[in-house]
Structure formats: C-alpha cells, structure tokens
Amino acid sequence: SRLRLNADLSHWFCACERVFNSKDDRDKWWPDLLSTVSKRCEYIHARFGWAQGPQMADPSAVECEPERTLQIEIWKMLMEEQNKKKNKVSLNSTGNMNNIFVSPEYGPAPYMAAMPHTRKSVASLPDAVAYTKTMIEQAFESI
C-alpha cells in the first residue's frame, strides 16, 4: 500500500527556523523533497507559518510577505500535483470525483499568539482564516 501524507508544512518551517526557499543555497535539497512529498500528498494543511512558529498571527501583515509568497508557491506545487492525479483518474474507489483537499486551518492559543496575563489574541483568528482562504483560492485559480 502507498503512504499518503498531510502536507502540514508550517511545523517543518518552525522546527527548521526558516521557510524553505529553493533559491537559497542552504535549501538546494528542498525541491526534490517537496516533489516526493507532493506525489504522496492527499491533503494540504494551508496555514502560514514562520521561522519562530507554526502559525502567523496575521498572515496579511506586510512583514509576512516574503514567507507568505514562498508558502503560496509550495501550496501551488502541491495543488498542481493533486490536480494531475485527479486528471489521471476521474473517479475514486467510492465512485466520486477526486477532489483537491486544502484547509486554511488556524487555531486559538497556543497557536495564536496571545498577550501576556490576559491571553487575549494579538490578531483576529477569523480574519487569518478568511485571508488564507482567499490566498488559497487565488493560488488554485492560477494553476
């Protein structure tokens, strides 16, 4: 049987303390690994992460643009690979059309940064989800 993956890559970026960039000499290994992951990817957990955490509090913030752009390109590659699989096989084992599964999943504290003492979120969780959903839709439309 074939191992299927959920591409929840925001944790990878946090653990390695950078969002991988195939143009960076340190990350020359990344395109080959991403290609391998994409062939087994069945689900994309699309949450913008950054070097110090698995979730950006406000992914629309201008200072997040470099990491956001890199991650959108990664999601597009994963969606393109899922689209290829979808076009090869028109029906899945249950007789339904194959789909591309992407979730703009964000979470409350401790994923969402919170103010000390009050635990009040530093940004709007619904706004982060809505913004990411829009970015996913735009990325999908461009493939």
Side-chain angles (χ1 to χ4, degrees):
S1 83
R2 185 167 122 20
L3 177 65
R4 299 182 310 173
L5 299 175
N6 168 10
D8 187 0
L9 302 177
S10 66
H11 290 280
W12 294 23
F13 306 142
C14 175
C16 293
E17 295 190 339
R18 69 180 184 280
V19 176
F20 308 127
N21 180 353
S22 60
K23 294 177 180 135
D24 186 324
D25 286 343
R26 297 178 302 171
D27 298 332
K28 288 190 183 249
W29 52 271
W30 177 239
D32 288 338
L33 180 60
L34 183 58
S35 176
T36 300
V37 168
S38 71
K39 288 175 178 47
R40 295 181 176 266
C41 176
E42 298 288 330
Y43 184 89
I44 303 166
H45 186 166
R47 172 176 56 208
F48 288 109
W50 60 299
Q52 302 304 313
Q55 176 175 301
M56 292 178 182
D58 181 355
S60 71
V62 69
E63 61 269 21
C64 298
E65 192 276 330
E67 291 87 0
R68 190 175 58 231
T69 298
L70 290 169
Q71 290 171 80
I72 289 169
E73 290 304 312
I74 290 166
W75 297 341
K76 284 170 58 174
M77 181 186 176
L78 294 170
M79 287 188 279
E80 286 169 354
E81 186 63 35
Q82 283 193 7
N83 206 27
K84 285 181 201 171
K85 288 187 273 187
K86 179 176 124 178
N87 291 331
K88 283 183 186 175
V89 181
S90 62
L91 298 177
N92 65 23
S93 61
T94 62
N96 297 320
M97 293 299 292
N98 287 324
N99 296 304
I100 294 176
F101 296 99
V102 184
S103 173
E105 182 182 328
Y106 282 74
Y111 280 100
M112 175 60 76
M115 296 298 294
H117 308 289
T118 66
R119 303 296 295 157
K120 182 178 183 222
S121 295
V122 299
S124 167
L125 185 61
D127 287 353
V129 172
Y131 178 81
T132 302
K133 176 183 176 281
T134 299
M135 294 296 97
I136 293 166
E137 290 169 342
Q138 289 175 1
F140 181 76
E141 290 299 320
S142 73
I143 62 169

